[in-house]
Amino acid sequence: MLSRVANSIYWINRYIERAENYARFIDVNFHLMFDLPPEISEQWAPLVITMADDKLFKEYFDVPSRDNVLRFMTFDMRNPNSIISNLYNARENARTIRETLSKEMWEHINKSYLRVKEASHHQMDLLALQEFYKEIKMGSQLFFGIVDSTVTRGEGWHFGRAGRFLERADKISRFVDVKYFILLPDTNLVGSPLDILQWSSVLKSASAYNMFRQQYKEITPANIVEFLVLDKLFPRSVLHSLLYAESSLREISGTPSSMRYSNEAEKKLSRLRSEIEFTSVDEVFDKGLHEFIDTFQMKNNEVGEEIFNTFFAIKPI
């Protein structure tokens, strides 16, 4: 497979997954808005801070109000990570390799982008916005369903799956980290119903609430980190995502199970997966949850860079 084609497939999947997770991020605050007592004010700044978009946000907006943050994260083409930018980039990548995609994939990507572009011209109330973000999430899940049912399990499919799960691992870690930036009115409220409510919103936004409640009796930070970061079986956990991405890289390179790795990208990803797999929740909190997430995101970005160097970069002859 041409590296140009593989790179486009990899990024189409990352962009679609990223658009879904931006919708999920905004959902954190929608859940909180409807559940919080009236005396507690809304907090929108943590969303752009957690996504590391705060510097760019300040270039265009003075105040992290609800309207400004929603506009910036959803419809602003100046923000390369906004939902509309992600869908635009997915569509542009798909357009250049259209002949290698299934007809259904191209049609769905094109339709999703045009739907968001059309929505960007209209004012929506809160209920309509909630429905709109739900539509983004369902659209992403439909896209991956189409991929799974129309694409041969060859190199292209594995490049797409590796991109999708590396992106998911990064964004789920940011879901957990967002709680670090959502402030409680008083430090004495740690462990209070308000604190639990905020953590519950994180679980709901990751579509993890029901599965979590089947596995744990109490909503505690330790249990949530164990479930969203260290659980092997939950499909939206960090470790589960890394295991799937690693499996796809090994399929692409044909690395047998008897070998630890056959290229630098596999080496970095296997090392990161191993670090997460053999970390306990106590060790996470001993290091500091925010610091642990920061370190993970840095190493996950290095894996992405190494995948580019190993598979996509033009090498000198």
Side-chain angles (χ1 to χ4, degrees):
M1 170 172 276
L2 293 173
S3 61
R4 175 185 65 82
V5 174
N7 190 28
S8 289
I9 292 173
Y10 173 83
W11 276 105
I12 288 169
N13 282 267
R14 287 202 74 150
Y15 286 131
I16 298 287
E17 179 75 22
R18 190 175 296 176
E20 176 187 342
N21 282 296
Y22 264 64
R24 289 181 178 279
F25 250 96
I26 294 166
D27 221 24
V28 173
N29 268 27
F30 275 123
H31 279 298
L32 277 173
M33 276 171 50
F34 292 118
D35 293 341
L36 281 175
E39 66 273 16
I40 304 294
S41 58
E42 299 172 19
Q43 298 181 50
W44 290 92
L47 298 192
V48 286
I49 295 171
T50 313
M51 301 304 277
D53 291 333
D54 48 321
K55 187 177 176 184
L56 183 64
F57 179 85
K58 287 174 184 171
E59 290 182 20
Y60 301 116
F61 299 96
D62 295 328
V63 183
S65 63
R66 178 204 302 162
D67 288 346
N68 287 346
V69 171
L70 290 181
R71 167 65 51 180
F72 179 73
M73 294 184 71
T74 309
F75 298 120
D76 199 332
M77 287 296 290
R78 297 171 302 181
N79 175 9
N81 291 319
S82 67
I83 289 172
I84 194 168
S85 292
N86 279 310
L87 293 178
Y88 171 81
N89 289 328
R91 182 174 178 257
E92 285 303 294
N93 274 278
R95 192 174 55 77
T96 61
I97 58 163
R98 192 169 164 180
E99 72 284 357
T100 67
L101 306 178
S102 68
K103 174 174 171 283
E104 291 81 1
M105 285 172 69
W106 162 252
E107 287 178 351
H108 186 76
I109 293 170
N110 194 39
K111 185 178 172 185
S112 298
Y113 167 68
L114 294 176
R115 166 73 183 97
V116 174
K117 185 181 177 186
E118 195 269 336
S120 68
H121 300 306
H122 301 284
Q123 287 288 333
M124 287 184 269
D125 60 26
L126 287 181
L127 288 178
L129 274 170
Q130 261 202 312
E131 283 303 310
F132 172 75
Y133 292 118
K134 191 184 292 182
E135 195 180 320
I136 298 294
K137 289 185 283 184
M138 293 304 292
S140 167
Q141 290 170 27
L142 177 56
F143 172 76
F144 291 122
I146 290 171
V147 171
D148 282 348
S149 58
T150 63
V151 178
T152 304
R153 295 327 192 238
E155 280 187 349
W157 187 82
H158 281 292
F159 273 117
R161 193 173 77 154
R164 172 187 175 189
F165 278 100
L166 280 178
E167 184 68 31
R168 181 175 294 182
D170 176 84
K171 292 301 176 288
I172 290 298
S173 74
R174 293 177 194 273
F175 275 43
V176 176
D177 204 27
V178 76
K179 182 63 180 72
Y180 174 84
F181 294 101
I182 295 178
L183 302 176
L184 287 166
D186 189 319
T187 53
N188 293 324
L189 291 176
V190 173
S192 68
L194 177 59
D195 193 28
I196 299 302
L197 184 66
Q198 292 178 347
W199 278 112
S200 298
S201 297
V202 173
L203 284 172
K204 289 175 183 173
S205 302
S207 297
Y209 186 79
N210 291 336
M211 292 300 106
F212 175 87
R213 294 299 283 174
Q214 289 180 26
Q215 200 162 320
Y216 297 93
K217 291 180 180 176
E218 288 183 79
I219 297 178
T220 66
N223 287 346
I224 289 172
V225 169
E226 195 161 39
F227 191 64
L228 287 182
V229 179
L230 307 177
D231 194 282
K232 270 188 177 181
L233 302 180
F234 182 60
R236 301 197 72 83
S237 83
V238 170
L239 179 56
H240 182 91
S241 300
L242 294 180
L243 284 165
Y244 268 59
E246 182 185 18
S247 163
S248 278
L249 284 196
R250 295 177 76 90
E251 287 289 336
I252 291 165
S253 59
T255 306
S257 56
S258 56
M259 280 181 66
R260 290 188 298 165
Y261 58 86
S262 62
N263 58 59
E264 282 301 306
E266 279 180 30
K267 181 181 176 182
K268 277 187 183 290
L269 180 52
S270 295
R271 180 180 287 165
L272 179 58
R273 186 268 307 154
S274 179
E275 284 176 12
I276 299 296
E277 189 169 13
F278 293 100
T279 296
S280 71
V281 72
D282 290 337
E283 289 168 332
V284 172
F285 283 96
D286 284 346
K287 180 172 183 177
L289 178 57
H290 176 62
E291 290 72 18
F292 174 84
I293 295 291
D294 254 4
T295 304
F296 164 74
Q297 288 168 358
M298 184 184 67
K299 292 181 177 178
N300 198 47
N301 288 340
E302 289 175 357
V303 171
E305 290 166 9
E306 200 53 57
I307 287 176
F308 175 81
N309 292 332
T310 301
F311 296 106
F312 309 141
I314 297 174
K315 298 176 176 62
I317 298 173

